Amino acid sequence: AQSVSQHNHHVILSEAASLELGCNYSYGGTVNLFWYVQYPGQHLQLLLKYFSGDPLVKGIKGFEAEFIKSKFSFNLRKPSVQWSDTAEYFCAVTLYSSASKIIFGSGTRLSIRP
Amino acid sequence: DAGVTQSPTHLIKTRGQQVTLRCSPKSGHDTVSWYQQALGQGPQFIFQYYEEEERQRGNFPDRFSGHQFPNYSSELNVNALLLGDSALYLCASSLGPGQAEAFFGQGTRLTVV
């Protein structure tokens, strides 16, 4: 079955540190890739998405992600985090053949020390 | 422009009871999907409704059923509640069933005791 793996359950960083959250998926066909963020008490929001084209995708709030097809990876990065980035981050994938169903990873909780 | 709204926000039910959760999609959206998010886990797809029919279903038992109304709003029904059904239930809407980009509501927190 298709799945999404997020390597880090909980990441703790200081402000201004660089961030990289890992994400791998298991599916050999065409996929759409997403990162969602869930701030405390708020709904899931789309950070960025990859459908096709340039594998380096830029999203909101200075986040970016790189799709590496050969590694089935879609890691999320930010060069300098802020306290307001404290949230839960979910990597997700939809299959081209079944674009309705979003398959989520288990999430990474990011805590930023002021 | 209203986003996805869900009601109620919190709910406590007893084992064996039945529950109905409600969702109004984002304005202009005609497709509604439901997800279950257990504590510490990512959301899991339950099913999707489009044109008042269930179009796709995840790996959930028949105790989970739904409905979509002509105004595109939707209900999720869960019968014979189990303790393991305690979770955050998320509704997502999109423009068309094949559209991968979805907008999520804040969810309904269901606690089964």
Side-chain angles (χ1 to χ4, degrees):
Chain A
Q2 299 83 21
S3 65
V4 177
S5 299
Q6 292 185 240
H7 311 305
N8 308 101
H9 180 65
H10 189 193
V11 172
I12 303 173
L13 295 173
S14 298
E15 277 194 312
S18 64
L19 169 72
E20 181 159 2
L21 302 182
C23 172
N24 287 91
Y25 65 93
S26 64
Y27 181 68
T30 303
V31 296
N32 302 311
L33 295 156
F34 306 83
W35 276 96
Y36 282 87
V37 60
Q38 192 169 32
Y39 297 104
Q42 296 189 27
H43 61 277
L44 271 171
Q45 301 173 39
L46 184 66
L47 259 185
L48 48 79
K49 61 188 178 187
Y50 172 80
F51 287 176
S52 63
D54 188 343
L56 184 61
V57 179
K58 294 193 183 299
I60 61 172
K61 304 186 180 185
F63 286 91
E64 65 177 31
E66 185 175 12
F67 171 47
I68 303 179
K69 190 174 181 179
S70 61
K71 295 185 178 180
F72 299 91
S73 71
F74 191 56
N75 291 355
L76 181 70
R77 300 194 292 248
K78 185 171 184 179
S80 176
V81 296
Q82 302 172 302
W83 179 80
S84 58
D85 293 325
T86 296
E88 187 98 21
Y89 292 80
F90 294 94
C91 182
V93 62
T94 62
L95 311 181
Y96 184 78
S97 60
S98 178
S100 311
K101 174 184 176 181
I102 305 174
I103 303 166
F104 286 89
S106 58
T108 296
R109 184 156 63 100
L110 176 63
S111 299
I112 306 298
R113 292 189 290 248
Chain B
D1 183 21
V4 179
T5 58
Q6 293 185 243
S7 64
T9 54
H10 295 85
L11 203 52
I12 300 175
K13 288 286 189 178
T14 304
R15 271 183 303 175
Q17 284 188 315
Q18 178 265 344
V19 69
T20 298
L21 310 181
R22 295 176 176 81
C23 171
S24 292
K26 181 178 168 64
S27 178
H29 285 184
D30 56 7
T31 302
V32 172
S33 300
W34 287 92
Y35 291 80
Q36 181 195 66
Q37 186 177 11
L39 202 60
Q41 300 295 319
Q44 290 198 6
F45 178 79
I46 303 174
F47 43 51
Q48 182 184 77
Y49 276 84
Y50 172 68
E51 292 186 335
E52 302 180 48
E53 290 186 7
E54 183 182 295
R55 295 290 176 162
Q56 194 172 0
R57 189 179 183 91
N59 189 25
F60 280 81
D62 292 344
R63 296 187 298 110
F64 289 77
S65 63
H67 188 78
Q68 186 179 35
F69 299 93
N71 67 353
Y72 309 126
S73 67
S74 176
E75 288 181 349
L76 164 65
N77 301 294
V78 187
N79 293 323
L81 284 167
L82 304 174
L83 294 180
D85 294 331
S86 296
L88 181 67
Y89 288 85
L90 298 171
C91 172
S93 73
S94 59
L95 185 58
Q99 292 302 312
E101 185 170 354
F103 292 78
F104 285 81
Q106 284 196 283
T108 294
R109 172 73 63 189
L110 173 65
T111 302
V112 182
V113 297

